[in-house]
Amino acid sequence: MTFHRVSFEDDDLKLKIGFIHFSSCSGCQVAFLDMFEDAVEIFDTVELVYSNLLTKRKEIPYMDVAFVEGAFCAEDPHHVKLIKELSEKAGMVIAIGGCAAFGGMRRFSCGSQMPQPSHQTFIPLTEIESIKRKVKFAIPGCPPNPSLLYNFFLAFLERNDDFLLPFEFIAQSRDASGFDLIKEVVNKGFCVGCGTCSTACPSRAISFKDVCGKPNFDADLCVRCGSCLAACPQSFKPYPQPVYT
Amino acid sequence: MLELNSRFLIGSYKKAVEVESRTGNNPLEELLSVMFDSNMIDGILSSRIEGEFSVPFLVVKGDRVEVPSLNRFFGSVALLKKAIQKYRLSRIAVVAPSCAIDGLNKTQYYGIGCNWVKTAVALKVGILCTGSLTGKALTAEVLHLTGKEKRIKRFFYDGGLFYQTEEGELIPVNLSVHHHYINAACRYCLNLSAKGTDITYFPLKEENRAVFIVRSERGWRVVASVQKERPELFRFRRLKKEDLEGIVSLLREKALLNIDDILERVELGLPVPKWNDNKLRKFYRIWNAVEDYNFEEEVF
C-alpha cells in the first residue's frame, strides 16, 4: 500500500474576505482597523483577498464574503463595473455602515457638485436588485463601532445565528433613521425612555426630552445610519437571553 | 405554560438581604459611596429629580452620590458615551430599572452605539420597578388617589407600593390606578425585578432600609467587599424565600395587569417595531400554550 502525500496550502481553508468601497468616507474600513489586536486575531482566521486600503491588488478576485461600504452611484462607471464584478465574484455581501445599508449621508446628496458634478444618484446596496439577494446582513452605524464589527465577525465565523438574526432583519429593511425610531418605537408606544438611542447616535441628532421622558429628534443632524433604532432595546433584544457577568 | 411564581417574577438569585444603613442614609447611596472611596468604581450613571423632571445624572465625585427617590427613571443610558469617552471612566456603576439595563446589556452584547461598554461597567444595580412616571403623570396619579395635589418625596414597598409626601404622609398606591398613569411601554414590561443585573434594589418604609437581591457573583463580591471595608456602616439580614412573598404578590398583581395589556395588544393587532421579531406575539403563544415552556430561554 502506498501513501500519497497530499499537500495543500493553509490559505485554501481560510474564508476569503474582501472590502469593497463604493461612495463613502472609508470610515467603516477605518473602524475595522480600529479593532487593533482584535483585527489581527480576525486576520489570523480569514484571508483578506481585496481591500483598497490594505491590499495592493488591482483586480477583484473571487471572495466568499464581501464587506461593502458606501452607496452605489449610478453615474460613476467605476461603480457600475464594481457592482457587476461584485455580483459575479462575491459569494455573500455584507453591507457595513449607514451608506451601504440605508443610504446614510448620501440620502441628503443632490449631486452635481465638484469634484464630481456628474454624480447624482446614490443608492444603498440593499435596494439594488442585481445584488440584493446576496446581501445577507447589514451592520448599522456611521461608522459601526469596532466592538460591534468584532462581535459580528466572531458570530459570523462561529455561525452564531442568534446574534446574526437581527442583522438579517436590518438587511431586509430599506430605511432606518431617527424618523424610524420615532415611527417604530415612540409612536407605537414602546419607548421606555432609557436613553440608549441618544448614546448610540454619532451626530447628536437625538437628545432627551425631560418633559415626556422620550427622545427628541433633530432631523437636521441625522445622518441616517440606523444606530438609534438598532441600539434601542425595544427594536430587538438578544435572543436567547445572554448571561451577563 | 407560564406560572407567575417567584422564579418568573423575581428570577434566579444568589441571596436576598435586607440592608440597614446605620448612618440613617439610603443604603444604596451608602454602598456606592463606599465603593467610590475604595476605588471600586469611578463613576455612577443614574438619574435624579430636578423639579418635576427626571434628568440623567453622571456622578464622578464620591460626595455627590444620589439614587433616584421616585419611580421616574428616564434617560440614564444617554450619558454612557460621555462617561466612557469624555471622562474616560472604566469602572462605572449603573443604577436603573430593567428597561435601561436592557439597553445597556444590549449595547454590551452587540457593541452597537457606544464603544468599550463591555469592559467599562463595574456594577449593574437594577431598581425593582412597577412602572415609570413623568412628573405630570405623578401629579395626576396623586390627585386621583387622594383628591389633592401633593408633593411626593419618595416611593417604597411595604407589602404594597407607597408614596411618601414631603410632609411625611404615606399614600398607599392602588396598582390599577398606578397602571393607568405609567409610561405606555412599562405596561408591556415583564421584567419588573430587573433580572439582567448584579443586584436588584428596592427601598423599604424606613429611609435607611432597603432590600438587595444579589444575583451575580460580582454583586455578591461587591456586597462582601463593602461589608469588609466599612463594617460599622451596615447591618445585613439575610432574607428567606418567605420574606419575599409580599413583594412577589405585588409583582404578580402588576404582571397580571401588564399581561392583560399584552394580550389585548396582540388581539387588536397593534403594530410592533419592525425589527422586533414580534416578541409580544411570541409571549401570547407561550401564555396560551398548555405544554411546559422554558421561559428563561425567551426574552419578552
Side-chain angles (χ1 to χ4, degrees), chain A residues 145-148 151 163 166 173 175 180 184 188 190-191 193-196 199 201 210 214 230 232 234-240 244, chain B residues 53 55 74-78 81 99 102-103 105-106 109-111 113-115 183 185 265 272-277 297-300:
Chain A
N145 275 335
S147 53
L148 168 60
N151 290 342
F163 186 98
S173 168
D175 231 356
D180 292 78
E184 296 292 329
K188 288 177 182 173
F190 281 95
C191 179
C194 62
T196 314
T199 210
C201 180
D210 296 333
K214 302 270 167 66
C232 173
Q234 297 291 344
S235 66
F236 60 83
K237 284 182 183 176
Y239 179 82
Y244 304 102
Chain B
F53 304 128
V55 292
F74 294 114
S76 32
V77 188
K81 200 180 258 178
C99 47
D102 268 345
N105 282 346
K106 187 174 169 181
Y109 182 64
Y110 286 105
C114 183
N115 241 340
N183 187 24
R265 187 169 178 122
V272 291
K274 60 182 175 185
W275 296 339
N276 181 279
D277 196 23
E297 290 284 310
E298 305 291 333
V299 178
F300 304 119

Short mmCIF file of all heavy atoms in Angstrom, two decimals, chain A residues 145-148 151 163 166 173 175 180 184 188 190-191 193-196 199 201 210 214 230 232 234-240 244, chain B residues 53 55 74-78 81 99 102-103 105-106 109-111 113-115 183 185 265 272-277 297-300:
data_model
loop_
_atom_site.label_atom_id
_atom_site.label_comp_id
_atom_site.label_asym_id
_atom_site.label_seq_id
_atom_site.Cartn_x
_atom_site.Cartn_y
_atom_site.Cartn_z
N ASN A 145 -19.34 50.59 15.29
CA ASN A 145 -18.29 50.52 16.32
C ASN A 145 -17.32 49.40 16.03
O ASN A 145 -17.73 48.34 15.59
CB ASN A 145 -18.92 50.18 17.67
CG ASN A 145 -19.41 51.40 18.35
OD1 ASN A 145 -18.92 52.48 18.09
ND2 ASN A 145 -20.38 51.23 19.21
N PRO A 146 -16.04 49.57 16.32
CA PRO A 146 -15.09 48.46 16.20
C PRO A 146 -15.55 47.24 17.02
O PRO A 146 -15.43 46.11 16.57
CB PRO A 146 -13.80 49.04 16.76
CG PRO A 146 -13.91 50.50 16.54
CD PRO A 146 -15.35 50.83 16.68
N SER A 147 -16.11 47.50 18.21
CA SER A 147 -16.53 46.36 19.03
C SER A 147 -17.72 45.64 18.38
O SER A 147 -17.84 44.42 18.48
CB SER A 147 -16.85 46.78 20.45
OG SER A 147 -17.76 47.83 20.47
N LEU A 148 -18.60 46.39 17.71
CA LEU A 148 -19.71 45.74 17.00
C LEU A 148 -19.17 44.90 15.85
O LEU A 148 -19.59 43.76 15.64
CB LEU A 148 -20.69 46.80 16.49
CG LEU A 148 -21.76 46.34 15.48
CD1 LEU A 148 -22.65 45.27 16.07
CD2 LEU A 148 -22.62 47.51 15.02
N ASN A 151 -17.57 41.76 17.30
CA ASN A 151 -18.60 40.81 17.74
C ASN A 151 -19.28 40.16 16.55
O ASN A 151 -19.58 38.97 16.55
CB ASN A 151 -19.66 41.51 18.59
CG ASN A 151 -19.12 41.92 19.94
OD1 ASN A 151 -18.09 41.43 20.38
ND2 ASN A 151 -19.80 42.83 20.60
N PHE A 163 -27.14 35.71 17.29
CA PHE A 163 -26.54 37.04 17.21
C PHE A 163 -26.82 37.66 15.85
O PHE A 163 -27.10 38.85 15.73
CB PHE A 163 -25.02 36.93 17.45
CG PHE A 163 -24.31 38.24 17.53
CD1 PHE A 163 -24.01 38.80 18.76
CD2 PHE A 163 -23.95 38.94 16.38
CE1 PHE A 163 -23.36 40.03 18.84
CE2 PHE A 163 -23.31 40.16 16.45
CZ PHE A 163 -23.01 40.70 17.69
N PRO A 166 -30.81 39.58 14.00
CA PRO A 166 -31.23 40.97 13.82
C PRO A 166 -30.58 41.65 12.61
O PRO A 166 -31.22 42.47 11.95
CB PRO A 166 -30.76 41.66 15.11
CG PRO A 166 -30.54 40.58 16.08
CD PRO A 166 -30.21 39.35 15.31
N SER A 173 -34.44 45.59 5.59
CA SER A 173 -35.11 46.86 5.79
C SER A 173 -34.45 47.91 4.89
O SER A 173 -33.24 47.96 4.77
CB SER A 173 -34.94 47.25 7.25
OG SER A 173 -35.31 48.57 7.44
N ASP A 175 -34.81 51.22 5.17
CA ASP A 175 -34.69 52.53 5.79
C ASP A 175 -34.45 52.40 7.28
O ASP A 175 -35.00 51.52 7.92
CB ASP A 175 -36.03 53.26 5.59
CG ASP A 175 -35.81 54.62 5.02
OD1 ASP A 175 -34.65 54.99 4.86
OD2 ASP A 175 -36.81 55.31 4.74
N ASP A 180 -37.38 56.77 11.78
CA ASP A 180 -37.88 55.41 12.03
C ASP A 180 -37.94 55.12 13.53
O ASP A 180 -38.80 54.39 13.98
CB ASP A 180 -36.98 54.39 11.34
CG ASP A 180 -37.10 54.49 9.84
OD1 ASP A 180 -36.50 55.41 9.28
OD2 ASP A 180 -37.81 53.68 9.26
N GLU A 184 -41.27 53.86 14.66
CA GLU A 184 -41.36 52.44 15.04
C GLU A 184 -41.45 52.22 16.55
O GLU A 184 -42.03 51.25 16.99
CB GLU A 184 -40.13 51.68 14.51
CG GLU A 184 -40.01 51.64 13.00
CD GLU A 184 -41.09 50.80 12.36
OE1 GLU A 184 -41.56 49.83 12.99
OE2 GLU A 184 -41.49 51.14 11.23
N LYS A 188 -45.39 53.91 18.45
CA LYS A 188 -46.10 52.65 18.70
C LYS A 188 -46.19 52.33 20.19
O LYS A 188 -46.60 51.24 20.57
CB LYS A 188 -45.40 51.51 17.95
CG LYS A 188 -45.63 51.58 16.45
CD LYS A 188 -44.89 50.50 15.69
CE LYS A 188 -45.13 50.66 14.20
NZ LYS A 188 -44.29 49.75 13.40
N PHE A 190 -43.72 52.04 22.51
CA PHE A 190 -42.74 51.12 23.06
C PHE A 190 -41.55 51.81 23.71
O PHE A 190 -40.66 51.14 24.23
CB PHE A 190 -42.23 50.16 21.98
CG PHE A 190 -43.18 49.03 21.71
CD1 PHE A 190 -44.09 49.10 20.69
CD2 PHE A 190 -43.17 47.90 22.51
CE1 PHE A 190 -44.99 48.08 20.45
CE2 PHE A 190 -44.06 46.87 22.29
CZ PHE A 190 -44.97 46.96 21.26
N CYS A 191 -41.50 53.14 23.66
CA CYS A 191 -40.32 53.82 24.20
C CYS A 191 -40.37 53.83 25.73
O CYS A 191 -41.34 54.29 26.33
CB CYS A 191 -40.24 55.25 23.67
SG CYS A 191 -38.81 56.13 24.33
N GLY A 193 -37.85 55.22 27.46
CA GLY A 193 -37.10 56.40 27.89
C GLY A 193 -35.76 56.06 28.53
O GLY A 193 -35.32 56.75 29.44
N CYS A 194 -35.09 55.02 28.03
CA CYS A 194 -33.82 54.61 28.65
C CYS A 194 -32.65 55.48 28.20
O CYS A 194 -31.67 55.62 28.91
CB CYS A 194 -33.53 53.15 28.34
SG CYS A 194 -33.33 52.80 26.59
N GLY A 195 -32.74 56.05 27.00
CA GLY A 195 -31.67 56.92 26.50
C GLY A 195 -30.61 56.21 25.67
O GLY A 195 -29.62 56.82 25.29
N THR A 196 -30.82 54.92 25.37
CA THR A 196 -29.81 54.18 24.60
C THR A 196 -29.66 54.75 23.18
O THR A 196 -28.55 54.81 22.65
CB THR A 196 -30.17 52.69 24.54
OG1 THR A 196 -30.55 52.26 25.84
CG2 THR A 196 -29.02 51.84 24.06
N THR A 199 -27.37 57.77 23.20
CA THR A 199 -25.94 57.48 23.32
C THR A 199 -25.40 56.81 22.06
O THR A 199 -24.21 56.89 21.77
CB THR A 199 -25.68 56.64 24.60
OG1 THR A 199 -24.39 56.93 25.08
CG2 THR A 199 -25.80 55.16 24.38
N CYS A 201 -26.34 57.57 18.93
CA CYS A 201 -26.32 58.49 17.79
C CYS A 201 -24.94 59.13 17.62
O CYS A 201 -24.42 59.76 18.53
CB CYS A 201 -27.37 59.56 17.99
SG CYS A 201 -27.40 60.74 16.63
N ASP A 210 -36.84 66.10 28.73
CA ASP A 210 -37.14 65.83 30.14
C ASP A 210 -38.64 65.83 30.44
O ASP A 210 -39.10 65.13 31.32
CB ASP A 210 -36.45 66.89 31.03
CG ASP A 210 -34.94 66.81 30.91
OD1 ASP A 210 -34.45 65.71 30.61
OD2 ASP A 210 -34.26 67.83 31.12
N LYS A 214 -38.85 61.11 26.72
CA LYS A 214 -38.70 60.42 25.43
C LYS A 214 -37.61 61.12 24.61
O LYS A 214 -37.27 62.27 24.87
CB LYS A 214 -40.04 60.49 24.65
CG LYS A 214 -41.23 59.87 25.38
CD LYS A 214 -41.38 58.41 25.05
CE LYS A 214 -42.35 57.71 25.99
NZ LYS A 214 -43.72 58.15 25.90
N ALA A 230 -31.26 50.46 15.90
CA ALA A 230 -30.60 49.18 16.18
C ALA A 230 -30.23 49.06 17.66
O ALA A 230 -30.30 47.98 18.23
CB ALA A 230 -29.34 49.05 15.32
N CYS A 232 -31.80 50.52 20.20
CA CYS A 232 -32.99 50.57 21.07
C CYS A 232 -33.33 49.18 21.60
O CYS A 232 -33.48 48.24 20.83
CB CYS A 232 -34.17 51.14 20.29
SG CYS A 232 -35.70 51.06 21.22
N GLN A 234 -36.00 48.10 22.53
CA GLN A 234 -37.34 47.66 22.11
C GLN A 234 -37.37 47.23 20.65
O GLN A 234 -38.35 46.68 20.19
CB GLN A 234 -38.35 48.80 22.31
CG GLN A 234 -38.51 49.21 23.75
CD GLN A 234 -39.19 48.15 24.60
OE1 GLN A 234 -39.81 47.23 24.09
NE2 GLN A 234 -39.08 48.27 25.90
N SER A 235 -36.30 47.50 19.88
CA SER A 235 -36.34 47.09 18.47
C SER A 235 -36.03 45.60 18.36
O SER A 235 -36.75 44.86 17.73
CB SER A 235 -35.38 47.92 17.63
OG SER A 235 -34.05 47.69 17.99
N PHE A 236 -34.97 45.14 18.96
CA PHE A 236 -34.76 43.70 19.09
C PHE A 236 -33.89 43.47 20.31
O PHE A 236 -33.12 44.34 20.70
CB PHE A 236 -34.12 43.07 17.85
CG PHE A 236 -32.77 43.62 17.49
CD1 PHE A 236 -31.62 43.15 18.09
CD2 PHE A 236 -32.64 44.61 16.54
CE1 PHE A 236 -30.38 43.65 17.76
CE2 PHE A 236 -31.41 45.13 16.19
CZ PHE A 236 -30.27 44.65 16.82
N LYS A 237 -34.06 42.31 20.90
CA LYS A 237 -33.28 42.01 22.10
C LYS A 237 -32.44 40.79 21.83
O LYS A 237 -32.75 40.00 20.96
CB LYS A 237 -34.23 41.73 23.27
CG LYS A 237 -34.86 42.97 23.84
CD LYS A 237 -35.73 42.63 25.00
CE LYS A 237 -36.42 43.87 25.51
NZ LYS A 237 -37.36 43.59 26.58
N PRO A 238 -31.36 40.61 22.60
CA PRO A 238 -30.58 39.38 22.46
C PRO A 238 -31.50 38.18 22.65
O PRO A 238 -32.28 38.16 23.59
CB PRO A 238 -29.58 39.47 23.61
CG PRO A 238 -29.51 40.88 23.96
CD PRO A 238 -30.82 41.49 23.63
N TYR A 239 -31.39 37.23 21.77
CA TYR A 239 -32.31 36.10 21.85
C TYR A 239 -31.58 34.82 21.52
O TYR A 239 -31.04 34.70 20.44
CB TYR A 239 -33.45 36.33 20.85
CG TYR A 239 -34.45 35.22 20.81
CD1 TYR A 239 -35.46 35.16 21.75
CD2 TYR A 239 -34.36 34.24 19.82
CE1 TYR A 239 -36.38 34.14 21.69
CE2 TYR A 239 -35.27 33.21 19.76
CZ TYR A 239 -36.28 33.16 20.70
OH TYR A 239 -37.17 32.15 20.65
N PRO A 240 -31.42 33.83 22.38
CA PRO A 240 -31.93 33.82 23.75
C PRO A 240 -31.13 34.76 24.65
O PRO A 240 -30.05 35.21 24.27
CB PRO A 240 -31.70 32.38 24.19
CG PRO A 240 -30.56 31.92 23.38
CD PRO A 240 -30.68 32.60 22.06
N TYR A 244 -24.99 37.89 31.51
CA TYR A 244 -24.03 38.97 31.69
C TYR A 244 -23.36 38.82 33.05
O TYR A 244 -24.03 38.64 34.04
CB TYR A 244 -24.73 40.33 31.62
CG TYR A 244 -25.48 40.51 30.36
CD1 TYR A 244 -26.85 40.36 30.33
CD2 TYR A 244 -24.81 40.79 29.18
CE1 TYR A 244 -27.55 40.52 29.16
CE2 TYR A 244 -25.50 40.95 28.01
CZ TYR A 244 -26.87 40.82 28.00
OH TYR A 244 -27.56 40.98 26.85
N PHE B 53 -38.92 67.18 36.71
CA PHE B 53 -38.33 66.34 35.66
C PHE B 53 -37.34 65.35 36.22
O PHE B 53 -36.70 65.59 37.23
CB PHE B 53 -37.62 67.20 34.61
CG PHE B 53 -38.49 68.23 33.98
CD1 PHE B 53 -38.10 69.55 33.93
CD2 PHE B 53 -39.72 67.88 33.45
CE1 PHE B 53 -38.91 70.51 33.37
CE2 PHE B 53 -40.54 68.83 32.88
CZ PHE B 53 -40.14 70.15 32.84
N VAL B 55 -33.87 63.78 35.24
CA VAL B 55 -32.78 64.03 34.30
C VAL B 55 -31.66 63.02 34.51
O VAL B 55 -31.38 62.64 35.64
CB VAL B 55 -32.21 65.47 34.42
CG1 VAL B 55 -33.21 66.50 33.98
CG2 VAL B 55 -31.76 65.76 35.84
N PHE B 74 -35.64 58.27 33.66
CA PHE B 74 -35.58 58.50 32.22
C PHE B 74 -34.19 58.93 31.78
O PHE B 74 -33.58 59.80 32.39
CB PHE B 74 -36.62 59.54 31.79
CG PHE B 74 -38.03 59.06 31.98
CD1 PHE B 74 -38.87 59.67 32.89
CD2 PHE B 74 -38.51 57.98 31.26
CE1 PHE B 74 -40.17 59.22 33.06
CE2 PHE B 74 -39.81 57.54 31.42
CZ PHE B 74 -40.65 58.16 32.33
N GLY B 75 -33.73 58.27 30.74
CA GLY B 75 -32.54 58.75 30.04
C GLY B 75 -31.20 58.45 30.66
O GLY B 75 -30.19 59.03 30.26
N SER B 76 -31.11 57.54 31.64
CA SER B 76 -29.81 57.37 32.31
C SER B 76 -28.72 56.84 31.37
O SER B 76 -27.55 57.21 31.52
CB SER B 76 -29.93 56.48 33.53
OG SER B 76 -30.92 55.52 33.37
N VAL B 77 -29.12 56.02 30.39
CA VAL B 77 -28.09 55.46 29.49
C VAL B 77 -27.57 56.53 28.50
O VAL B 77 -26.53 56.36 27.89
CB VAL B 77 -28.65 54.23 28.74
CG1 VAL B 77 -27.57 53.51 27.95
CG2 VAL B 77 -29.27 53.24 29.72
N ALA B 78 -28.32 57.64 28.40
CA ALA B 78 -27.93 58.68 27.45
C ALA B 78 -26.53 59.24 27.74
O ALA B 78 -25.88 59.79 26.86
CB ALA B 78 -28.95 59.81 27.47
N LYS B 81 -21.95 57.38 26.71
CA LYS B 81 -20.84 57.75 25.83
C LYS B 81 -19.98 58.84 26.48
O LYS B 81 -18.76 58.79 26.43
CB LYS B 81 -21.41 58.26 24.50
CG LYS B 81 -20.41 58.21 23.38
CD LYS B 81 -21.03 58.73 22.10
CE LYS B 81 -21.41 57.63 21.17
NZ LYS B 81 -22.05 58.14 19.96
N CYS B 99 -35.54 48.36 32.12
CA CYS B 99 -35.58 48.81 30.73
C CYS B 99 -34.24 49.46 30.33
O CYS B 99 -33.71 49.18 29.25
CB CYS B 99 -36.73 49.79 30.52
SG CYS B 99 -36.83 51.04 31.79
N ASP B 102 -31.64 46.85 30.13
CA ASP B 102 -31.78 46.12 28.86
C ASP B 102 -31.00 46.81 27.75
O ASP B 102 -30.32 46.17 26.95
CB ASP B 102 -33.26 46.05 28.43
CG ASP B 102 -33.93 44.80 28.94
OD1 ASP B 102 -33.23 43.87 29.36
OD2 ASP B 102 -35.18 44.75 28.93
N GLY B 103 -31.14 48.15 27.70
CA GLY B 103 -30.41 48.94 26.70
C GLY B 103 -28.91 48.78 26.89
O GLY B 103 -28.16 48.59 25.93
N ASN B 105 -27.35 46.26 28.48
CA ASN B 105 -26.99 44.87 28.19
C ASN B 105 -26.88 44.64 26.69
O ASN B 105 -25.98 43.95 26.22
CB ASN B 105 -28.04 43.91 28.75
CG ASN B 105 -27.87 43.72 30.25
OD1 ASN B 105 -26.85 44.08 30.81
ND2 ASN B 105 -28.87 43.16 30.89
N LYS B 106 -27.79 45.27 25.96
CA LYS B 106 -27.78 45.10 24.51
C LYS B 106 -26.53 45.76 23.91
O LYS B 106 -25.89 45.19 23.04
CB LYS B 106 -29.04 45.73 23.92
CG LYS B 106 -29.20 45.46 22.46
CD LYS B 106 -30.52 45.96 21.97
CE LYS B 106 -30.55 45.91 20.48
NZ LYS B 106 -31.80 46.42 19.93
N TYR B 109 -23.70 43.49 24.64
CA TYR B 109 -23.73 42.22 23.90
C TYR B 109 -23.39 42.43 22.43
O TYR B 109 -22.55 41.72 21.87
CB TYR B 109 -25.11 41.59 24.07
CG TYR B 109 -25.27 40.25 23.38
CD1 TYR B 109 -24.52 39.15 23.78
CD2 TYR B 109 -26.19 40.09 22.34
CE1 TYR B 109 -24.67 37.92 23.16
CE2 TYR B 109 -26.34 38.86 21.73
CZ TYR B 109 -25.59 37.78 22.13
OH TYR B 109 -25.74 36.58 21.52
N TYR B 110 -24.04 43.39 21.80
CA TYR B 110 -23.82 43.61 20.37
C TYR B 110 -22.67 44.59 20.08
O TYR B 110 -22.02 44.48 19.06
CB TYR B 110 -25.09 44.16 19.70
CG TYR B 110 -26.17 43.12 19.54
CD1 TYR B 110 -27.27 43.11 20.36
CD2 TYR B 110 -26.07 42.13 18.56
CE1 TYR B 110 -28.25 42.16 20.21
CE2 TYR B 110 -27.05 41.18 18.41
CZ TYR B 110 -28.14 41.20 19.24
OH TYR B 110 -29.11 40.25 19.09
N GLY B 111 -22.51 45.56 20.95
CA GLY B 111 -21.50 46.59 20.69
C GLY B 111 -22.05 47.73 19.86
O GLY B 111 -21.29 48.55 19.36
N GLY B 113 -23.61 51.27 19.09
CA GLY B 113 -23.81 52.57 19.74
C GLY B 113 -22.60 53.13 20.44
O GLY B 113 -22.12 54.16 20.07
N CYS B 114 -22.11 52.49 21.44
CA CYS B 114 -21.03 53.09 22.22
C CYS B 114 -19.93 52.05 22.43
O CYS B 114 -20.20 50.94 22.89
CB CYS B 114 -21.58 53.57 23.54
SG CYS B 114 -20.38 54.41 24.55
N ASN B 115 -18.71 52.47 22.09
CA ASN B 115 -17.58 51.55 22.19
C ASN B 115 -17.16 51.27 23.62
O ASN B 115 -17.35 52.08 24.49
CB ASN B 115 -16.40 52.19 21.46
CG ASN B 115 -15.96 51.32 20.32
OD1 ASN B 115 -16.27 50.14 20.28
ND2 ASN B 115 -15.23 51.90 19.40
N ASN B 183 -45.77 55.10 32.15
CA ASN B 183 -45.31 55.19 30.76
C ASN B 183 -45.89 54.02 29.95
O ASN B 183 -45.96 52.90 30.45
CB ASN B 183 -43.78 55.11 30.81
CG ASN B 183 -43.13 55.35 29.48
OD1 ASN B 183 -43.71 55.99 28.61
ND2 ASN B 183 -41.94 54.85 29.31
N ALA B 185 -44.90 52.09 27.54
CA ALA B 185 -44.09 50.88 27.33
C ALA B 185 -43.97 50.05 28.60
O ALA B 185 -43.77 48.84 28.54
CB ALA B 185 -42.72 51.27 26.82
N ARG B 265 -53.22 43.87 23.21
CA ARG B 265 -52.48 44.49 22.10
C ARG B 265 -52.34 43.50 20.94
O ARG B 265 -52.51 43.87 19.78
CB ARG B 265 -51.10 44.95 22.59
CG ARG B 265 -50.38 45.73 21.54
CD ARG B 265 -49.15 46.44 22.01
NE ARG B 265 -48.58 47.09 20.85
CZ ARG B 265 -48.36 48.38 20.73
NH1 ARG B 265 -48.61 49.18 21.71
NH2 ARG B 265 -47.86 48.89 19.62
N VAL B 272 -45.94 46.43 16.05
CA VAL B 272 -44.74 46.44 16.90
C VAL B 272 -43.58 46.97 16.05
O VAL B 272 -43.69 47.00 14.83
CB VAL B 272 -44.41 45.02 17.42
CG1 VAL B 272 -45.44 44.54 18.41
CG2 VAL B 272 -44.24 44.04 16.29
N PRO B 273 -42.47 47.38 16.68
CA PRO B 273 -41.34 47.85 15.87
C PRO B 273 -40.88 46.82 14.84
O PRO B 273 -40.94 45.62 15.10
CB PRO B 273 -40.25 48.09 16.92
CG PRO B 273 -40.99 48.39 18.16
CD PRO B 273 -42.22 47.54 18.11
N LYS B 274 -40.41 47.29 13.68
CA LYS B 274 -40.19 46.40 12.54
C LYS B 274 -39.09 45.35 12.76
O LYS B 274 -39.12 44.31 12.14
CB LYS B 274 -39.91 47.20 11.27
CG LYS B 274 -38.69 48.10 11.32
CD LYS B 274 -38.58 48.87 10.00
CE LYS B 274 -37.45 49.87 10.04
NZ LYS B 274 -37.39 50.70 8.84
N TRP B 275 -38.12 45.63 13.62
CA TRP B 275 -37.07 44.64 13.85
C TRP B 275 -37.31 43.84 15.13
O TRP B 275 -36.43 43.18 15.63
CB TRP B 275 -35.70 45.32 13.95
CG TRP B 275 -35.28 45.99 12.70
CD1 TRP B 275 -35.75 45.75 11.44
CD2 TRP B 275 -34.31 47.03 12.57
NE1 TRP B 275 -35.14 46.57 10.54
CE2 TRP B 275 -34.23 47.37 11.21
CE3 TRP B 275 -33.48 47.69 13.46
CZ2 TRP B 275 -33.39 48.35 10.72
CZ3 TRP B 275 -32.63 48.67 12.97
CH2 TRP B 275 -32.58 48.99 11.61
N ASN B 276 -38.51 43.94 15.68
CA ASN B 276 -38.80 43.39 16.99
C ASN B 276 -38.98 41.88 16.98
O ASN B 276 -38.92 41.23 18.02
CB ASN B 276 -40.07 44.09 17.51
CG ASN B 276 -40.49 43.65 18.86
OD1 ASN B 276 -41.12 42.62 18.98
ND2 ASN B 276 -40.15 44.39 19.88
N ASP B 277 -39.18 41.28 15.80
CA ASP B 277 -39.43 39.85 15.68
C ASP B 277 -40.69 39.45 16.46
O ASP B 277 -40.82 38.33 16.92
CB ASP B 277 -38.20 39.06 16.21
CG ASP B 277 -38.25 37.61 15.76
OD1 ASP B 277 -38.91 37.34 14.76
OD2 ASP B 277 -37.64 36.76 16.43
N GLU B 297 -35.40 30.83 28.39
CA GLU B 297 -34.77 30.89 27.07
C GLU B 297 -35.32 32.06 26.25
O GLU B 297 -34.78 32.42 25.23
CB GLU B 297 -35.06 29.59 26.31
CG GLU B 297 -34.33 28.39 26.87
CD GLU B 297 -32.87 28.39 26.48
OE1 GLU B 297 -32.59 28.56 25.31
OE2 GLU B 297 -32.02 28.26 27.39
N GLU B 298 -36.44 32.62 26.71
CA GLU B 298 -37.12 33.63 25.92
C GLU B 298 -36.85 35.03 26.46
O GLU B 298 -36.54 35.21 27.62
CB GLU B 298 -38.64 33.41 25.95
CG GLU B 298 -39.07 32.03 25.51
CD GLU B 298 -38.85 31.82 24.02
OE1 GLU B 298 -38.87 32.81 23.28
OE2 GLU B 298 -38.68 30.66 23.62
N VAL B 299 -36.97 35.99 25.59
CA VAL B 299 -36.88 37.38 26.03
C VAL B 299 -38.16 38.06 25.59
O VAL B 299 -38.52 38.01 24.43
CB VAL B 299 -35.70 38.09 25.36
CG1 VAL B 299 -35.64 39.54 25.78
CG2 VAL B 299 -34.42 37.39 25.73
N PHE B 300 -38.85 38.65 26.51
CA PHE B 300 -40.11 39.31 26.12
C PHE B 300 -39.94 40.81 26.09
O PHE B 300 -39.74 41.43 27.07
CB PHE B 300 -41.23 38.92 27.09
CG PHE B 300 -41.40 37.45 27.16
CD1 PHE B 300 -41.24 36.78 28.35
CD2 PHE B 300 -41.71 36.72 26.03
CE1 PHE B 300 -41.40 35.41 28.42
CE2 PHE B 300 -41.87 35.35 26.11
CZ PHE B 300 -41.71 34.69 27.31
#
